[in-house]
C-alpha cells in the first residue's frame, strides 16, 4: 500500500501551508504566528480538542477515532521553529524575515503533521486517540522538555510517541531508522582553573595556571581512550583555552577552558561528566591550584525503543515499499529525545533528496516528500490502533 490517495490529492494544499510557513519563519519560543496558523488549521479540520500555550507556545490537538475500545493513545510530534540564518535559496517563497530561515525543514514537519491531522479527522479510521504535538524551540531551546514539564504525556495520556525528520542525502520519500541510539547527546562544559599569578622569572613564588590547565587538557583525553568501553562512541573536545595573562613575562592567574562531550550512550554520558569533574578538580589540586567545573547538560541521546521502532519501520515500509531499518546513528542531537525519555516511541528519517544539508543557507525542504511523510503518520496510527 503506497502513499494514501487522499493525501496525494491534498499535496498542493499541504505544499501551500509549507511555503507559507517557510516565508514566515519564527525562532525558538517566539513561534506565535506559526502556532496560530497550526491552531487555525486544526479548528478547520474539526479536531476534537485544541490546547495552545503548552511549553510556552506549543499546540496540542486531539483526534478521537471512530471507536475507542482499548483506550489506546498515540502521540505524533512535529517541531515548528526556524533558525537564525540568512536564507540564500533565491526561491520565490523564500523567507520574508531578515536573518531567519526554515533551514532545518521544520516547516515541512509541521505541514506534514497538519496534513495527517486533516486526513485523520476526516476518516477517523482507528480505534483510540491521536494526540498531535506541535512544539516550539527545538533548535537549542528544549521546547520538547518544556512541553513535557507542562504535563504533556500525563495530561493527554500519551502511551507512545513518534516523530520524523527530513534527511538530505536520502532519496525523497524513502525512510531510514534504527532501534536504540539514533542521535547523540550534546553537553558543554567550562573549566576555570585558578592558581597564583606572578612574574615569569619567579615561578617558585607562583602557581602556574597555564601549566596546570595544560595537564588537565592532556588528562581529559584519557576519558574517552581509557575509561569508556572502546566499542561505545564518545567524543570529547576542548575547544577554547584562554589565560588571563597578556604578556610573555607574566604567569597567568586563571585559565578558562570550554569543551563539549557527545555520546550515543546515556551511561557513557554520565561517566564522562563524572570523569571530567574529577580530573579537572584533582589535577588542579595536585598542583596547588583549584578548578571549578560547570556542566551544561544539553539534549539527551535520542533512543528509539525496540518495539516502537519496528512499528515505525513497518509503517514506512508500507508507504515506501522498503525501509532501511538499521541505519547508522549520527552525532547531531535532537530534543525529541526528552519525549522518548518519558514514553516509548521512535524517530525516523524521511528522505529529502539531493539538497544542501540542514542548517545551510541554501537548504530547502523538498515538497515531493510530503505525501510519504503524511502517509507514514497515518499508516502508523491505523496500524497501531486498528478498528476491530
Ligand atoms: Ni531539525
Amino acid at each position: 500500500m503506497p502513499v494514501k490517495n487522499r493525501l496525494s490529492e491534498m499535496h498542493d494544499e499541504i505544499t501551500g501551508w509549507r511555503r507559507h510557513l517557510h516565508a514566515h519563519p519564527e525562532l525558538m519560543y517566539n513561534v506565535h504566528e506559526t502556532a496560530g496558523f497550526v491552531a487555525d488549521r486544526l479548528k478547520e479540520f474539526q479536531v476534537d480538542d485544541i490546547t495552545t500555550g503548552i511549553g510556552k507556545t506549543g499546540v496540542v490537538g486531539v483526534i478521537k477515532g471512530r471507536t475507542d475500545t482499548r483506550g489506546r493513545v498515540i502521540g505524533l510530534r512535529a517541531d515548528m521553529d526556524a533558525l537564525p540564518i540568512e536564507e540564500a535559496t533565491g526561491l520565490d517563497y523564500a523567507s520574508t524575515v531578515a536573518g531567519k530561515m526554515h533551514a532545518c525543514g521544520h516547516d515541512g514537519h509541521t505541514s506534514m503533521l497538519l496534513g495527517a491531522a486533516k486526513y485523520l479527522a476526516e476518516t477517523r479510521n482507528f480505534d483510540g486517540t491521536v494526540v498531535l504535538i506541535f512544539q516550539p524551540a527545538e533548535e537549542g531551546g528544549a521546547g520538547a522538555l518544556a512541553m513535557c514539564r507542562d504535563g504533556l504525556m500525563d495530561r493527554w495520556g500519551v502511551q507512545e510517541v513518534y516523530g520524523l525528520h527530513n534527511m538530505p542525502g536520502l532519496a525523497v520519500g524513502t525512510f531510514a531508522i534504527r532501534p536504540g541510539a539514533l542521535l547523540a547527546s550534546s553537553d558543554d562544559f567550562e573549566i576555570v582553573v585558578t592558581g597564583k599569578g606572578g612574574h615569569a622569572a619567579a615561578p617558585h613564588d607562583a602557581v602556574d595556571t597555564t601549566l596546570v590547565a595544560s595537564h588537565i587538557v592532556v588528562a581529559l583525553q584519557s576519558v574517552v581512550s581509557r575509561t569508556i568501553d572502546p566499542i561505545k562512541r564518545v567524543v570529547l573536545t576542548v575547544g577554547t583555552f584562554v589565560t588571563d595573562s597578556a604578556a610573555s613575562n607574566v604567569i597567568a592567574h586563571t585559565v578558562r577552558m570550554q569543551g563539549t562531550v557527545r555520546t550515543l550512550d546515556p551511561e557513557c554520558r554520565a561517566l564522562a561528566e563524572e570523569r571530567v569533574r574529577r580530573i579537572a578538580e584533582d589535577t588542579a589540586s595536585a598542583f596547588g591550584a583549584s578548578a571549578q567545573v560547570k556542566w551544561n547538560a544539553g539534549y539527551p541521546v535520542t533512543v528509539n525503543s525496540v518495539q516502537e521502532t519496528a512499528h515505525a519501520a513497518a509503517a514506512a515500509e508500507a508507504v515506501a515499499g522498503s525501509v532501511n531499518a538499521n541505519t547508522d546513528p549520527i552525532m547531531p542531537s535532537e530534543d525529541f529525545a526528552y519525549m522518548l525519555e518519558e514514553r516509548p516511541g521512535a524517530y525516523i528519517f524521511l528522505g529529502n533528496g539531493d539538497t544542501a544539508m540542514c542548517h545551510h543557507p541554501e537548504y530547502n525542504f523538498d515538497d515531493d516528500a510530503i505525501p510519504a511523510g503524511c502517509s507514514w503518520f497515518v499508516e502508523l496510527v491505523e496500524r497501531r490502533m486498528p478498528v476491530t
Side-chain angles (χ1 to χ4, degrees):
M1 205 271 351
V3 160
K4 306 256 178 202
N5 286 338
R6 177 75 183 109
L7 288 164
S8 290
E9 283 167 30
M10 285 161 50
H11 193 176
D12 286 349
E13 184 184 17
I14 301 168
T15 299
W17 303 336
R18 207 286 286 181
R19 294 184 179 191
H20 169 81
L21 294 176
H22 189 86
H24 302 93
E26 298 177 292
L27 305 184
M28 294 291 271
Y29 286 97
N30 297 314
V31 290
H32 301 284
E33 281 184 34
T34 308
F37 181 88
V38 165
D40 286 348
R41 296 289 82 68
L42 295 180
K43 231 169 281 170
E44 257 172 41
F45 308 158
Q46 298 185 311
V47 308
D48 297 287
D49 185 53
I50 303 165
T51 308
T52 57
I54 301 301
K56 295 185 186 164
T57 41
V59 181
V60 179
V62 175
I63 305 175
K64 294 197 159 79
R66 196 184 303 160
T67 53
D68 185 10
T69 61
R70 292 165 294 182
R72 302 292 319 281
V73 183
I74 284 185
L76 304 176
R77 170 272 201 178
D79 38 14
M80 300 190 286
D81 58 320
L83 283 156
I85 291 176
E86 185 70 33
E87 180 157 354
T89 62
L91 293 163
D92 54 3
Y93 56 85
S95 173
T96 56
V97 189
K100 298 181 189 176
M101 174 188 178
H102 268 294
C104 202
H106 298 184
D107 48 350
H109 306 163
T110 294
S111 301
M112 289 188 291
L113 186 53
L114 282 174
K118 180 168 180 174
Y119 178 99
L120 291 167
E122 272 179 19
T123 56
R124 303 190 184 247
N125 190 29
F126 58 93
D127 178 71
T129 303
V130 171
V131 177
L132 308 155
I133 303 163
F134 294 89
Q135 73 153 84
E138 193 287 318
E139 301 287 359
L145 180 61
M147 290 190 83
C148 287
R149 285 192 174 150
D150 270 359
L152 174 68
M153 299 299 171
D154 289 339
R155 191 164 155 191
W156 279 274
V158 176
Q159 295 162 350
E160 51 197 84
V161 66
Y162 298 88
L164 63 72
H165 205 290
N166 75 94
M167 182 54 68
L170 192 65
V172 171
T174 65
F175 294 89
I177 193 169
R178 78 189 306 276
L182 181 65
L183 293 136
S185 63
S186 173
D187 298 330
D188 291 339
F189 60 84
E190 181 188 78
I191 302 171
V192 176
V193 187
T194 305
K196 187 180 170 205
H199 196 293
H204 58 292
D205 289 332
V207 175
D208 185 352
T209 320
T210 302
L211 177 68
V212 178
S214 300
H215 276 284
I216 292 172
V217 173
V218 172
L220 286 176
Q221 295 312 311
S222 71
V223 174
V224 176
S225 65
R226 301 289 93 176
T227 56
I228 302 286
D229 181 340
I231 61 165
K232 303 279 171 68
R233 295 187 226 197
V234 182
V235 176
L236 185 155
T237 295
V238 177
T240 71
F241 186 108
V242 182
T243 79
D244 68 355
S245 164
S248 61
N249 60 354
V250 173
I251 287 173
H253 186 69
T254 64
V255 172
R256 184 166 167 265
M257 300 181 281
Q258 290 170 302
T260 187
V261 174
R262 309 278 171 118
T263 171
L264 291 167
D265 186 301
E267 283 174 27
C268 291
R269 185 188 188 202
L271 181 61
E273 177 183 354
E274 183 198 316
R275 294 300 301 155
V276 166
R277 287 186 186 281
R278 180 90 190 265
I279 285 170
E281 289 165 7
D282 289 1
T283 303
S285 162
F287 286 93
S290 65
Q292 264 82 46
V293 180
K294 217 195 281 174
W295 193 268
N296 300 313
Y299 295 170
V301 185
T302 300
V303 182
N304 281 340
S305 52
V306 173
Q307 244 182 358
E308 285 67 26
T309 302
H311 300 317
E317 191 173 8
V319 170
S322 65
V323 60
N324 176 358
N326 195 22
T327 192
D328 284 335
I330 55 175
M331 295 310 266
S333 58
E334 159 63 56
D335 82 345
F336 187 62
Y338 290 112
M339 295 192 183
L340 290 177
E341 283 189 337
E342 296 216 351
R343 292 295 186 271
Y347 194 64
I348 198 165
F349 296 133
L350 167 64
N352 195 54
D354 190 17
T355 175
M357 205 5 124
C358 294
H359 295 209
H360 189 281
E362 288 174 1
Y363 165 85
N364 189 33
F365 179 82
D366 192 327
D367 292 313
D368 287 343
I370 286 174
C374 292
S375 295
W376 176 75
F377 280 127
V378 168
E379 192 69 36
L380 197 50
V381 167
E382 293 182 351
R383 280 168 172 263
R384 289 295 292 136
M385 305 189 291
V387 174
T388 48

